[in-house]
Amino acid sequence: MNQIDLKALAKINLGLDVLGRQEDGYHSVRMVMQTIYLYDEVRLIKREKPGIEIISNLAYLPTGEGNIAYKAAKLLQDEFGLKEGISIFLKKHIPVAAGLAGGSSNAAAVLFGMNRMFDLRLTRKDLMERGVRLGADVPYCIMRGTVLAEGIGEKLSVLPPMPKCAVLIAKPPVSVSTRTVYEALDAREITEHPDIDGIISGLEKGDIKLVADAMGNVLERVTIPMHPVIEVIKNEMKAAGALNAMMSGSGPTVFGLFESRADAKNAQRRIRDKALTKQVYVTNIHSVRRNENGNRF
């Protein structure tokens, strides 16, 4: 196998709670993660020339050590002493630095693809153990589906699948630093926590309205005052019929859950007409089929 084409899927956080800060500086979290059918196209090509080459449709994207996909390739090259090189073509569709795990998903695709291409015979668990060295979201991006994430985000438990619905994604034209958001949160006393158990209960009952009602993101209290447009977009989605709307991750992307795709398209038009953002997409939940052991098949 000299070439492989993969889809690196985005994620949203149906719930995100921060429980505290660990001695190593990482934050303990409790999150419900969900993949959606918005993806980057990742093509891996084996080459005789050693090294790693990254080519992207985005001119501003780092192509060296600053790119997490590069780090993923180098991790496997170094560990297994791979002599052949790899070219990585990233066609980005997931908004960058947006709380959708685009970079982490790219890294997960590289780990998965190189494992197959070079016949490294690593299990999914092996890949996830390596992924956490690159970033807390990478193991989840390997696992995908509806998942409870704990620890720093690396302790993953499979949840019942998310009921099907339309998802509206809107990324306003602002940049958010995850580190800045978490540091600002440290200076505040968290008195209200999202209802993560309520989300899980809704999933167990297969009730999308219960899931939507319980959604919450503790990081909104930091990011929204910095960028009030996030709240404006949330309100537009709700006014257009969203069951609920929330910021994903540390932001600034907002997503809304809709029972009707037509309502999601209407909300998309409203947001574009009001020039709140050009990056607004209607997509779907990405379901993962698993066996009785929780493994994908």
Side-chain angles (χ1 to χ4, degrees):
M1 182 183 291
N2 293 315
Q3 176 177 318
I4 186 169
D5 293 303
L6 300 164
K7 294 177 179 177
L9 272 62
K11 66 83 184 168
I12 54 176
N13 298 92
L14 299 173
L16 194 163
D17 196 9
V18 176
L19 306 179
R21 188 166 186 163
Q22 302 177 171
E23 292 183 2
D24 60 7
Y26 285 99
H27 289 79
S28 297
V29 297
R30 194 163 184 250
M31 306 181 291
V32 177
M33 315 269 272
Q34 175 63 53
T35 38
I36 57 174
Y37 208 68
L38 173 65
Y39 58 86
D40 292 338
E41 299 171 61
V42 180
R43 171 172 291 178
L44 307 180
I45 299 179
K46 189 187 295 184
R47 59 180 194 171
E48 292 184 7
K49 182 181 179 181
I52 302 163
E53 174 188 44
I54 291 188
I55 300 170
S56 171
N57 61 322
L58 300 182
Y60 58 83
L61 203 71
T63 56
E65 290 278 1
N67 190 303
I68 191 172
Y70 182 103
K71 293 177 182 177
K74 190 171 190 308
L75 186 153
L76 293 181
Q77 281 189 341
D78 290 349
E79 179 178 353
F80 291 92
L82 302 179
K83 302 302 181 186
E84 294 168 296
I86 188 86
S87 292
I88 304 171
F89 297 84
L90 301 176
K91 190 171 183 181
K92 299 287 291 180
H93 303 290
I94 302 171
V96 176
L100 298 173
S104 295
S105 194
N106 294 165
V110 170
L111 293 176
F112 178 87
M114 287 184 65
N115 183 46
R116 292 184 60 188
M117 182 175 284
F118 292 95
D119 194 25
L120 303 180
R121 303 189 180 186
L122 297 171
T123 65
R124 186 185 67 171
K125 181 181 178 183
D126 293 334
L127 293 174
M128 291 168 64
E129 288 173 351
R130 286 157 178 79
V132 76
R133 302 181 207 167
L134 302 168
D137 282 342
V138 178
Y140 167 73
C141 291
I142 293 170
M143 191 176 201
R144 294 181 173 179
T146 313
V147 171
L148 175 67
E150 298 175 288
I152 63 169
E154 89 291 5
K155 296 177 182 176
L156 305 176
S157 305
V158 175
L159 294 173
M162 176 76 168
K164 292 190 180 300
C165 62
V167 183
L168 182 62
I169 299 291
K171 193 264 181 182
V174 296
S175 297
V176 171
S177 163
T178 298
R179 177 176 293 181
T180 298
V181 170
Y182 273 96
E183 286 179 351
L185 187 73
D186 286 342
R188 300 162 181 248
E189 182 180 354
I190 303 173
T191 56
E192 295 183 13
H193 292 268
D195 187 7
I196 303 298
D197 290 333
I199 296 172
I200 296 172
S201 177
L203 292 170
E204 290 172 344
K205 295 174 181 176
D207 190 326
I208 186 64
K209 291 183 179 179
L210 290 179
V211 172
D213 287 345
M215 282 175 15
N217 182 346
V218 75
L219 298 182
E220 284 189 338
R221 69 185 65 193
V222 175
T223 308
I224 288 177
M226 294 178 181
H227 304 288
V229 66
I230 294 170
E231 188 71 37
V232 175
I233 293 173
K234 284 178 59 178
N235 290 335
E236 282 295 328
M237 289 187 184
K238 292 175 184 178
L243 295 172
N244 205 347
M246 192 177 81
M247 184 181 81
S248 184
S250 57
T253 299
V254 177
F255 70 91
L257 303 183
F258 293 80
E259 288 185 292
S260 161
R261 189 173 182 87
D263 285 347
K265 295 289 287 185
N266 179 51
Q268 180 186 43
R269 286 191 292 270
R270 288 175 59 146
I271 289 168
R272 282 181 174 161
D273 289 347
K274 295 188 177 184
L276 296 174
T277 178
K278 293 180 180 179
Q279 288 186 287
V280 53
Y281 315 99
V282 177
T283 185
N284 303 304
I285 294 295
H286 177 262
S287 299
V288 174
R289 296 176 65 198
R290 302 186 192 272
N291 61 24
E292 59 185 11
N293 295 318
N295 295 319
R296 294 194 324 222
F297 67 95

